Amino acid sequence: MTINEQRLLDTFLTLARFNTPPRAEKPASEWTAAYLRDIGFEVEFDDAGAKVGGTVGNLIAFKPGTVPGAAPIFFSSHFDTVEATPDLEIVVEGDIIRATSDTILGADDKCGVAPILEAMTRLHESGETHGDIQLLLTICEEIGLLGAKMLDPSRIRARYGYVLDSGPPVGALVYTAPSQNSLHVTIEGMPAHAGVAPEKGVSAIVAAAKAIAAMRLGRIDEETTANVGTIQGGTARNIVPAEVKLVCEARSRSQEKLDRQTAHIKETFERECAALGATAHVEVVEEYQTYHLSAEDPVLRIAMAAAHAADLTPTLRPSGGGSDGNIFNGYGVPTTVLSCGMEKIHTHDEFCRLSDMVKDARWVVEIVRVARDFRD
Ligand SMILES: [Zn+2]
């Protein structure tokens, strides 16, 4: 099936030009809703937007299958971009699409959405048969997978899921991604005049420094990482600082190692602060859970067979970060993350390739075809 490259490019550019930071996805998702209704999808929005203080919910679209017994599948991408793009200017230079303005491009994740829309359009035009297809186009992915977390899992009508939201080469599939915990730490010391009576104070900054210096951070092992991301504290040069706040994280593809690293960070703050007479309050937030798919799992077998049919080379790879795929797997729907053309994401050098979006559109078409003929 040939992909309409010009239309795919136009779709991407239209989506990219909507300014859609988290909680402000409405223009892109309403445009997409109209687009999908035109090609035969039932479209609705859930109440995730209201729950997170946003302008619109997750877009949930469904097209009933025409082949009884076919494996029902969903495709997913997110509308929100990591930051706002009010002054976005885009240039297309041959195959490369990039921003000329000092902003991100927003290829993360609109170069996931656009190929899904083009693939659905081609399937609609061709009139070929397919199983049930659902689209879960989420909000607020970049601020903690909030849209996927607020989605009512009973609304998922698919048995297998495909999230288009990882980097090239197109053909790569994520089979495992880490669990992540955030640690919100408040250290309380004792204020005092730094010149008159420093011995009466307990410096929360010194306590934080000693704890951090005693901590295992960075790459812990091949599947575990940890970071102190932010630190804020102190009020004036001449006051022994009474309070410091820190936000830390730990990730691992092993739940046991994650638990161990999380406990290590918490205990180190508590112990080192106590030794100086300060107190550490550590709140652990479980952000998302790991998953492990095997090459024998239908969700991967379908995507790998489809990759071959689309002239791509399927390769299984681990991810160092979480995605909506973690949440969907947590809902009990085996889900893999497909590679897209997005490069240098979350930077102002972000760009993507039209040729990669064309590959993704073909891949999506072939996943629909393989799922149609797939029997457990
Ligand atoms: Zn993304």
Side-chain angles (χ1 to χ4, degrees):
M1 181 180 286
T2 52
I3 296 303
N4 185 328
E5 295 190 18
Q6 185 61 49
R7 183 172 58 199
L8 173 52
L9 175 62
D10 291 344
T11 299
F12 173 77
L13 293 175
T14 300
L15 288 168
R17 285 181 183 126
F18 292 119
N19 177 17
T20 59
R23 297 192 177 91
E25 301 87 347
K26 194 170 187 174
S29 58
E30 288 199 332
W31 180 86
T32 302
Y35 185 112
L36 289 169
R37 287 189 181 108
D38 280 349
I39 56 170
F41 276 84
E42 304 157 11
V43 182
E44 51 187 352
F45 293 96
D46 72 4
D47 60 356
K51 287 180 181 163
V52 303
T55 53
V56 72
N58 297 304
L59 189 164
I60 302 174
F62 185 73
K63 196 169 200 181
T66 53
V67 179
I73 54 175
F74 77 74
F75 296 96
S76 175
S77 297
H78 61 91
F79 282 120
D80 60 306
T81 53
V82 69
E83 62 182 32
T85 55
D87 305 311
L88 178 64
E89 297 284 345
I90 304 176
V91 65
V92 181
E93 291 167 332
D95 194 29
I96 304 281
I97 307 161
R98 63 184 179 84
T100 50
S101 45
D102 188 18
T103 61
I104 57 161
L105 172 63
D108 177 9
D109 190 18
K110 287 163 180 172
C111 82
V113 181
I116 294 173
L117 297 186
E118 176 57 26
M120 295 304 129
T121 309
R122 290 298 293 123
L123 287 164
H124 177 71
E125 290 168 341
S126 74
E128 70 178 60
T129 59
H130 56 80
D132 285 353
I133 303 172
Q134 191 173 35
L135 306 181
L136 304 173
L137 302 176
T138 61
I139 59 169
C140 295
E141 192 271 353
E142 297 286 4
I143 51 171
L145 318 176
L146 289 187
K149 285 179 182 173
M150 294 300 152
L151 183 89
D152 175 356
S154 70
R155 300 185 75 139
I156 301 179
R157 297 167 73 169
R159 202 177 309 151
Y160 310 115
Y162 300 92
V163 175
L164 279 76
D165 193 15
S166 83
V170 178
L173 302 114
V174 175
Y175 71 93
T176 184
S179 297
Q180 185 186 320
N181 288 341
S182 297
L183 295 97
H184 299 264
V185 184
T186 303
I187 297 175
E188 283 174 22
M190 180 70 70
H193 192 291
V196 177
E199 47 283 293
K200 288 187 179 164
V202 176
S203 169
I205 289 180
V206 171
K210 292 216 166 178
I212 293 166
M215 217 171 266
R216 289 190 302 274
L217 293 169
R219 172 151 312 276
I220 307 303
D221 63 34
E222 177 266 315
E223 57 183 356
T224 312
T225 60
N227 187 48
V228 177
T230 67
I231 179 164
Q232 286 175 305
T235 50
R237 173 185 49 77
N238 58 354
I239 300 174
V240 176
E243 187 179 271
V244 170
K245 287 180 182 287
L246 307 96
V247 183
C248 317
E249 66 158 45
R251 305 178 189 221
S252 182
R253 294 192 288 273
S254 154
Q255 190 64 43
E256 189 196 332
K257 288 177 178 173
L258 179 71
D259 292 345
R260 207 182 308 148
Q261 177 64 26
T262 303
H264 166 70
I265 294 174
K266 184 172 188 291
E267 286 161 13
T268 306
F269 273 119
E270 290 169 348
R271 184 189 65 238
E272 296 296 322
C273 290
L276 292 176
T279 312
H281 305 277
V282 183
E283 185 201 355
V284 177
V285 179
E286 188 181 274
E287 298 289 349
Y288 48 78
Q289 291 264 344
T290 185
Y291 61 90
H292 296 267
L293 301 167
S294 118
E296 306 309 312
D297 286 338
V299 64
L300 291 185
R301 282 162 53 202
I302 291 169
M304 289 192 286
H308 285 298
D311 279 330
L312 300 167
T313 308
T315 51
L316 297 180
R317 69 181 177 192
S319 170
S323 75
D324 285 347
N326 288 64
I327 305 303
F328 297 137
N329 276 294
Y331 291 157
V333 184
T335 300
T336 182
V337 183
L338 307 181
S339 41
C340 303
M342 56 177 91
E343 305 249 22
K344 296 192 177 179
I345 59 167
H346 298 200
T347 78
H348 290 191
D349 297 325
E350 186 186 20
F351 67 94
C352 65
R353 289 189 176 82
L354 177 59
S355 57
D356 280 337
M357 283 197 275
V358 171
K359 289 176 191 172
D360 269 316
R362 283 201 200 106
W363 197 4
V364 169
V365 167
E366 295 299 341
I367 288 172
V368 171
R369 288 173 167 171
V370 174
R372 173 191 63 201
D373 301 328
F374 186 86
R375 299 294 178 271
D376 280 309

PDB file of all heavy atoms in Angstrom, residues 81-85 88 97-108 142 342-352:
ATOM      1  N   THR A  81       3.176  18.461  24.045  1.00  0.00           N
ATOM      2  CA  THR A  81       4.612  18.588  23.811  1.00  0.00           C
ATOM      3  C   THR A  81       5.270  19.031  25.116  1.00  0.00           C
ATOM      4  O   THR A  81       4.614  19.582  25.998  1.00  0.00           O
ATOM      5  CB  THR A  81       4.900  19.633  22.708  1.00  0.00           C
ATOM      6  OG1 THR A  81       4.246  20.863  23.049  1.00  0.00           O
ATOM      7  CG2 THR A  81       4.381  19.147  21.373  1.00  0.00           C
ATOM      8  N   VAL A  82       6.569  18.789  25.216  1.00  0.00           N
ATOM      9  CA  VAL A  82       7.243  18.958  26.502  1.00  0.00           C
ATOM     10  C   VAL A  82       7.241  20.422  26.954  1.00  0.00           C
ATOM     11  O   VAL A  82       7.278  20.706  28.151  1.00  0.00           O
ATOM     12  CB  VAL A  82       8.665  18.358  26.455  1.00  0.00           C
ATOM     13  CG1 VAL A  82       9.575  19.179  25.550  1.00  0.00           C
ATOM     14  CG2 VAL A  82       9.258  18.217  27.844  1.00  0.00           C
ATOM     15  N   GLU A  83       7.193  21.351  25.995  1.00  0.00           N
ATOM     16  CA  GLU A  83       7.035  22.761  26.357  1.00  0.00           C
ATOM     17  C   GLU A  83       6.158  23.433  25.308  1.00  0.00           C
ATOM     18  O   GLU A  83       5.871  22.852  24.257  1.00  0.00           O
ATOM     19  CB  GLU A  83       8.392  23.458  26.479  1.00  0.00           C
ATOM     20  CG  GLU A  83       9.194  23.478  25.196  1.00  0.00           C
ATOM     21  CD  GLU A  83      10.564  24.139  25.373  1.00  0.00           C
ATOM     22  OE1 GLU A  83      11.153  24.059  26.456  1.00  0.00           O
ATOM     23  OE2 GLU A  83      11.042  24.746  24.402  1.00  0.00           O
ATOM     24  N   ALA A  84       5.725  24.662  25.599  1.00  0.00           N
ATOM     25  CA  ALA A  84       4.869  25.403  24.668  1.00  0.00           C
ATOM     26  C   ALA A  84       5.674  25.835  23.440  1.00  0.00           C
ATOM     27  O   ALA A  84       6.889  26.000  23.511  1.00  0.00           O
ATOM     28  CB  ALA A  84       4.276  26.619  25.370  1.00  0.00           C
ATOM     29  N   THR A  85       4.962  26.008  22.318  1.00  0.00           N
ATOM     30  CA  THR A  85       5.621  26.413  21.070  1.00  0.00           C
ATOM     31  C   THR A  85       4.849  27.571  20.425  1.00  0.00           C
ATOM     32  O   THR A  85       4.410  27.471  19.277  1.00  0.00           O
ATOM     33  CB  THR A  85       5.682  25.231  20.080  1.00  0.00           C
ATOM     34  OG1 THR A  85       4.336  24.722  19.898  1.00  0.00           O
ATOM     35  CG2 THR A  85       6.551  24.117  20.579  1.00  0.00           C
ATOM     36  N   LEU A  88       6.420  28.965  17.039  1.00  0.00           N
ATOM     37  CA  LEU A  88       7.060  27.928  16.218  1.00  0.00           C
ATOM     38  C   LEU A  88       7.064  28.297  14.733  1.00  0.00           C
ATOM     39  O   LEU A  88       6.038  28.648  14.156  1.00  0.00           O
ATOM     40  CB  LEU A  88       6.311  26.604  16.421  1.00  0.00           C
ATOM     41  CG  LEU A  88       6.797  25.414  15.605  1.00  0.00           C
ATOM     42  CD1 LEU A  88       8.219  25.034  15.987  1.00  0.00           C
ATOM     43  CD2 LEU A  88       5.874  24.218  15.822  1.00  0.00           C
ATOM     44  N   ILE A  97      12.616  17.801   8.792  1.00  0.00           N
ATOM     45  CA  ILE A  97      11.658  18.805   9.257  1.00  0.00           C
ATOM     46  C   ILE A  97      12.177  19.319  10.596  1.00  0.00           C
ATOM     47  O   ILE A  97      12.434  18.531  11.504  1.00  0.00           O
ATOM     48  CB  ILE A  97      10.264  18.183   9.453  1.00  0.00           C
ATOM     49  CG1 ILE A  97       9.820  17.452   8.180  1.00  0.00           C
ATOM     50  CG2 ILE A  97       9.246  19.253   9.863  1.00  0.00           C
ATOM     51  CD1 ILE A  97       8.711  16.452   8.417  1.00  0.00           C
ATOM     52  N   ARG A  98      12.359  20.634  10.687  1.00  0.00           N
ATOM     53  CA  ARG A  98      12.881  21.175  11.942  1.00  0.00           C
ATOM     54  C   ARG A  98      12.304  22.571  12.189  1.00  0.00           C
ATOM     55  O   ARG A  98      11.699  23.168  11.298  1.00  0.00           O
ATOM     56  CB  ARG A  98      14.415  21.214  11.942  1.00  0.00           C
ATOM     57  CG  ARG A  98      15.008  22.109  10.893  1.00  0.00           C
ATOM     58  CD  ARG A  98      16.532  22.040  10.881  1.00  0.00           C
ATOM     59  NE  ARG A  98      17.061  22.895   9.843  1.00  0.00           N
ATOM     60  CZ  ARG A  98      17.276  24.201   9.987  1.00  0.00           C
ATOM     61  NH1 ARG A  98      17.038  24.795  11.141  1.00  0.00           N
ATOM     62  NH2 ARG A  98      17.736  24.923   8.993  1.00  0.00           N
ATOM     63  N   ALA A  99      12.520  23.059  13.411  1.00  0.00           N
ATOM     64  CA  ALA A  99      12.058  24.402  13.764  1.00  0.00           C
ATOM     65  C   ALA A  99      13.175  25.387  13.480  1.00  0.00           C
ATOM     66  O   ALA A  99      14.338  25.125  13.789  1.00  0.00           O
ATOM     67  CB  ALA A  99      11.674  24.444  15.240  1.00  0.00           C
ATOM     68  N   THR A 100      12.829  26.536  12.888  1.00  0.00           N
ATOM     69  CA  THR A 100      13.823  27.605  12.747  1.00  0.00           C
ATOM     70  C   THR A 100      13.706  28.577  13.914  1.00  0.00           C
ATOM     71  O   THR A 100      14.592  29.382  14.154  1.00  0.00           O
ATOM     72  CB  THR A 100      13.630  28.377  11.424  1.00  0.00           C
ATOM     73  OG1 THR A 100      12.259  28.746  11.330  1.00  0.00           O
ATOM     74  CG2 THR A 100      14.006  27.515  10.240  1.00  0.00           C
ATOM     75  N   SER A 101      12.590  28.518  14.635  1.00  0.00           N
ATOM     76  CA  SER A 101      12.433  29.326  15.840  1.00  0.00           C
ATOM     77  C   SER A 101      13.199  28.662  16.983  1.00  0.00           C
ATOM     78  O   SER A 101      13.554  27.486  16.905  1.00  0.00           O
ATOM     79  CB  SER A 101      10.948  29.406  16.193  1.00  0.00           C
ATOM     80  OG  SER A 101      10.344  28.120  16.081  1.00  0.00           O
ATOM     81  N   ASP A 102      13.451  29.425  18.045  1.00  0.00           N
ATOM     82  CA  ASP A 102      14.180  28.882  19.190  1.00  0.00           C
ATOM     83  C   ASP A 102      13.195  28.147  20.102  1.00  0.00           C
ATOM     84  O   ASP A 102      12.917  28.564  21.220  1.00  0.00           O
ATOM     85  CB  ASP A 102      14.897  30.015  19.936  1.00  0.00           C
ATOM     86  CG  ASP A 102      15.814  29.471  21.022  1.00  0.00           C
ATOM     87  OD1 ASP A 102      16.154  28.261  20.977  1.00  0.00           O
ATOM     88  OD2 ASP A 102      16.188  30.240  21.922  1.00  0.00           O
ATOM     89  N   THR A 103      12.677  27.042  19.593  1.00  0.00           N
ATOM     90  CA  THR A 103      11.684  26.226  20.314  1.00  0.00           C
ATOM     91  C   THR A 103      11.922  24.767  19.961  1.00  0.00           C
ATOM     92  O   THR A 103      12.655  24.459  19.029  1.00  0.00           O
ATOM     93  CB  THR A 103      10.237  26.547  19.871  1.00  0.00           C
ATOM     94  OG1 THR A 103      10.123  26.257  18.469  1.00  0.00           O
ATOM     95  CG2 THR A 103       9.853  27.987  20.129  1.00  0.00           C
ATOM     96  N   ILE A 104      11.264  23.899  20.708  1.00  0.00           N
ATOM     97  CA  ILE A 104      11.190  22.516  20.258  1.00  0.00           C
ATOM     98  C   ILE A 104      10.323  22.473  19.003  1.00  0.00           C
ATOM     99  O   ILE A 104       9.592  23.417  18.701  1.00  0.00           O
ATOM    100  CB  ILE A 104      10.580  21.599  21.342  1.00  0.00           C
ATOM    101  CG1 ILE A 104       9.184  22.093  21.754  1.00  0.00           C
ATOM    102  CG2 ILE A 104      11.491  21.474  22.538  1.00  0.00           C
ATOM    103  CD1 ILE A 104       8.327  21.077  22.435  1.00  0.00           C
ATOM    104  N   LEU A 105      10.403  21.340  18.270  1.00  0.00           N
ATOM    105  CA  LEU A 105       9.540  21.145  17.099  1.00  0.00           C
ATOM    106  C   LEU A 105       8.212  20.504  17.526  1.00  0.00           C
ATOM    107  O   LEU A 105       7.161  20.798  16.958  1.00  0.00           O
ATOM    108  CB  LEU A 105      10.268  20.247  16.082  1.00  0.00           C
ATOM    109  CG  LEU A 105       9.472  19.769  14.866  1.00  0.00           C
ATOM    110  CD1 LEU A 105       9.045  20.954  13.996  1.00  0.00           C
ATOM    111  CD2 LEU A 105      10.310  18.788  14.042  1.00  0.00           C
ATOM    112  N   GLY A 106       8.291  19.620  18.510  1.00  0.00           N
ATOM    113  CA  GLY A 106       7.084  18.894  18.921  1.00  0.00           C
ATOM    114  C   GLY A 106       6.888  17.602  18.144  1.00  0.00           C
ATOM    115  O   GLY A 106       5.801  17.039  18.109  1.00  0.00           O
ATOM    116  N   ALA A 107       7.965  17.134  17.495  1.00  0.00           N
ATOM    117  CA  ALA A 107       7.907  15.822  16.834  1.00  0.00           C
ATOM    118  C   ALA A 107       7.581  14.748  17.874  1.00  0.00           C
ATOM    119  O   ALA A 107       6.950  13.740  17.553  1.00  0.00           O
ATOM    120  CB  ALA A 107       9.235  15.514  16.156  1.00  0.00           C
ATOM    121  N   ASP A 108       8.006  14.957  19.096  1.00  0.00           N
ATOM    122  CA  ASP A 108       7.601  14.154  20.247  1.00  0.00           C
ATOM    123  C   ASP A 108       6.312  14.753  20.788  1.00  0.00           C
ATOM    124  O   ASP A 108       6.354  15.721  21.515  1.00  0.00           O
ATOM    125  CB  ASP A 108       8.715  14.165  21.288  1.00  0.00           C
ATOM    126  CG  ASP A 108       8.362  13.413  22.552  1.00  0.00           C
ATOM    127  OD1 ASP A 108       7.329  12.735  22.571  1.00  0.00           O
ATOM    128  OD2 ASP A 108       9.130  13.516  23.525  1.00  0.00           O
ATOM    129  N   GLU A 142       3.853  14.156  29.051  1.00  0.00           N
ATOM    130  CA  GLU A 142       5.160  14.709  29.429  1.00  0.00           C
ATOM    131  C   GLU A 142       5.229  15.135  30.894  1.00  0.00           C
ATOM    132  O   GLU A 142       6.301  15.469  31.389  1.00  0.00           O
ATOM    133  CB  GLU A 142       5.498  15.918  28.537  1.00  0.00           C
ATOM    134  CG  GLU A 142       5.631  15.575  27.044  1.00  0.00           C
ATOM    135  CD  GLU A 142       6.915  14.840  26.710  1.00  0.00           C
ATOM    136  OE1 GLU A 142       7.684  14.524  27.633  1.00  0.00           O
ATOM    137  OE2 GLU A 142       7.130  14.570  25.521  1.00  0.00           O
ATOM    138  N   MET A 342      11.504  10.833  15.567  1.00  0.00           N
ATOM    139  CA  MET A 342      11.873  11.985  16.404  1.00  0.00           C
ATOM    140  C   MET A 342      13.325  11.897  16.861  1.00  0.00           C
ATOM    141  O   MET A 342      13.776  10.891  17.363  1.00  0.00           O
ATOM    142  CB  MET A 342      10.949  12.070  17.616  1.00  0.00           C
ATOM    143  CG  MET A 342      10.926  10.820  18.450  1.00  0.00           C
ATOM    144  SD  MET A 342       9.883  10.964  19.924  1.00  0.00           S
ATOM    145  CE  MET A 342       8.330  10.383  19.303  1.00  0.00           C
ATOM    146  N   GLU A 343      14.065  12.989  16.668  1.00  0.00           N
ATOM    147  CA  GLU A 343      15.475  13.029  17.064  1.00  0.00           C
ATOM    148  C   GLU A 343      15.712  14.245  17.962  1.00  0.00           C
ATOM    149  O   GLU A 343      15.068  15.277  17.804  1.00  0.00           O
ATOM    150  CB  GLU A 343      16.372  13.180  15.832  1.00  0.00           C
ATOM    151  CG  GLU A 343      16.140  12.097  14.782  1.00  0.00           C
ATOM    152  CD  GLU A 343      17.309  11.149  14.666  1.00  0.00           C
ATOM    153  OE1 GLU A 343      18.093  11.052  15.632  1.00  0.00           O
ATOM    154  OE2 GLU A 343      17.422  10.509  13.605  1.00  0.00           O
ATOM    155  N   LYS A 344      16.686  14.116  18.866  1.00  0.00           N
ATOM    156  CA  LYS A 344      17.068  15.211  19.785  1.00  0.00           C
ATOM    157  C   LYS A 344      15.845  15.794  20.495  1.00  0.00           C
ATOM    158  O   LYS A 344      15.695  17.030  20.600  1.00  0.00           O
ATOM    159  CB  LYS A 344      17.826  16.304  19.033  1.00  0.00           C
ATOM    160  CG  LYS A 344      19.148  15.801  18.462  1.00  0.00           C
ATOM    161  CD  LYS A 344      20.012  16.938  17.973  1.00  0.00           C
ATOM    162  CE  LYS A 344      21.352  16.400  17.492  1.00  0.00           C
ATOM    163  NZ  LYS A 344      22.233  17.448  16.989  1.00  0.00           N
ATOM    164  N   ILE A 345      14.989  14.905  20.976  1.00  0.00           N
ATOM    165  CA  ILE A 345      13.754  15.368  21.606  1.00  0.00           C
ATOM    166  C   ILE A 345      14.060  16.122  22.894  1.00  0.00           C
ATOM    167  O   ILE A 345      15.101  15.927  23.509  1.00  0.00           O
ATOM    168  CB  ILE A 345      12.791  14.191  21.896  1.00  0.00           C
ATOM    169  CG1 ILE A 345      13.439  13.158  22.803  1.00  0.00           C
ATOM    170  CG2 ILE A 345      12.325  13.560  20.596  1.00  0.00           C
ATOM    171  CD1 ILE A 345      12.443  12.158  23.364  1.00  0.00           C
ATOM    172  N   HIS A 346      13.122  16.969  23.268  1.00  0.00           N
ATOM    173  CA  HIS A 346      13.221  17.814  24.466  1.00  0.00           C
ATOM    174  C   HIS A 346      14.358  18.817  24.354  1.00  0.00           C
ATOM    175  O   HIS A 346      14.836  19.334  25.365  1.00  0.00           O
ATOM    176  CB  HIS A 346      13.368  16.955  25.752  1.00  0.00           C
ATOM    177  CG  HIS A 346      12.184  16.060  26.007  1.00  0.00           C
ATOM    178  ND1 HIS A 346      11.906  15.522  27.250  1.00  0.00           N
ATOM    179  CD2 HIS A 346      11.203  15.610  25.193  1.00  0.00           C
ATOM    180  CE1 HIS A 346      10.803  14.774  27.175  1.00  0.00           C
ATOM    181  NE2 HIS A 346      10.373  14.814  25.928  1.00  0.00           N
ATOM    182  N   THR A 347      14.832  19.098  23.128  1.00  0.00           N
ATOM    183  CA  THR A 347      15.809  20.168  22.919  1.00  0.00           C
ATOM    184  C   THR A 347      15.325  21.038  21.758  1.00  0.00           C
ATOM    185  O   THR A 347      14.472  20.630  20.973  1.00  0.00           O
ATOM    186  CB  THR A 347      17.211  19.637  22.535  1.00  0.00           C
ATOM    187  OG1 THR A 347      17.207  19.259  21.137  1.00  0.00           O
ATOM    188  CG2 THR A 347      17.619  18.439  23.371  1.00  0.00           C
ATOM    189  N   HIS A 348      15.933  22.213  21.638  1.00  0.00           N
ATOM    190  CA  HIS A 348      15.553  23.114  20.544  1.00  0.00           C
ATOM    191  C   HIS A 348      16.188  22.697  19.215  1.00  0.00           C
ATOM    192  O   HIS A 348      15.947  23.330  18.189  1.00  0.00           O
ATOM    193  CB  HIS A 348      15.894  24.560  20.919  1.00  0.00           C
ATOM    194  CG  HIS A 348      15.002  25.091  22.010  1.00  0.00           C
ATOM    195  ND1 HIS A 348      14.961  26.408  22.378  1.00  0.00           N
ATOM    196  CD2 HIS A 348      14.085  24.454  22.805  1.00  0.00           C
ATOM    197  CE1 HIS A 348      14.068  26.567  23.366  1.00  0.00           C
ATOM    198  NE2 HIS A 348      13.550  25.400  23.639  1.00  0.00           N
ATOM    199  N   ASP A 349      16.990  21.635  19.238  1.00  0.00           N
ATOM    200  CA  ASP A 349      17.535  21.061  17.995  1.00  0.00           C
ATOM    201  C   ASP A 349      16.691  19.899  17.485  1.00  0.00           C
ATOM    202  O   ASP A 349      17.094  19.203  16.547  1.00  0.00           O
ATOM    203  CB  ASP A 349      18.973  20.561  18.229  1.00  0.00           C
ATOM    204  CG  ASP A 349      19.919  21.692  18.589  1.00  0.00           C
ATOM    205  OD1 ASP A 349      19.727  22.797  18.043  1.00  0.00           O
ATOM    206  OD2 ASP A 349      20.813  21.478  19.424  1.00  0.00           O
ATOM    207  N   GLU A 350      15.549  19.686  18.105  1.00  0.00           N
ATOM    208  CA  GLU A 350      14.702  18.545  17.719  1.00  0.00           C
ATOM    209  C   GLU A 350      14.365  18.593  16.226  1.00  0.00           C
ATOM    210  O   GLU A 350      14.112  19.655  15.664  1.00  0.00           O
ATOM    211  CB  GLU A 350      13.392  18.603  18.529  1.00  0.00           C
ATOM    212  CG  GLU A 350      12.490  17.394  18.320  1.00  0.00           C
ATOM    213  CD  GLU A 350      11.132  17.565  19.029  1.00  0.00           C
ATOM    214  OE1 GLU A 350      10.756  18.712  19.335  1.00  0.00           O
ATOM    215  OE2 GLU A 350      10.470  16.546  19.255  1.00  0.00           O
ATOM    216  N   PHE A 351      14.379  17.437  15.593  1.00  0.00           N
ATOM    217  CA  PHE A 351      13.940  17.362  14.187  1.00  0.00           C
ATOM    218  C   PHE A 351      13.369  15.975  13.929  1.00  0.00           C
ATOM    219  O   PHE A 351      13.464  15.086  14.779  1.00  0.00           O
ATOM    220  CB  PHE A 351      15.096  17.662  13.215  1.00  0.00           C
ATOM    221  CG  PHE A 351      16.201  16.631  13.210  1.00  0.00           C
ATOM    222  CD1 PHE A 351      16.193  15.590  12.285  1.00  0.00           C
ATOM    223  CD2 PHE A 351      17.246  16.697  14.121  1.00  0.00           C
ATOM    224  CE1 PHE A 351      17.218  14.636  12.268  1.00  0.00           C
ATOM    225  CE2 PHE A 351      18.271  15.748  14.112  1.00  0.00           C
ATOM    226  CZ  PHE A 351      18.258  14.722  13.186  1.00  0.00           C
ATOM    227  N   CYS A 352      12.749  15.804  12.767  1.00  0.00           N
ATOM    228  CA  CYS A 352      12.311  14.466  12.368  1.00  0.00           C
ATOM    229  C   CYS A 352      12.409  14.350  10.859  1.00  0.00           C
ATOM    230  O   CYS A 352      12.631  15.339  10.152  1.00  0.00           O
ATOM    231  CB  CYS A 352      10.904  14.169  12.872  1.00  0.00           C
ATOM    232  SG  CYS A 352       9.609  15.198  12.171  1.00  0.00           S
TER     233      CYS A 352
END
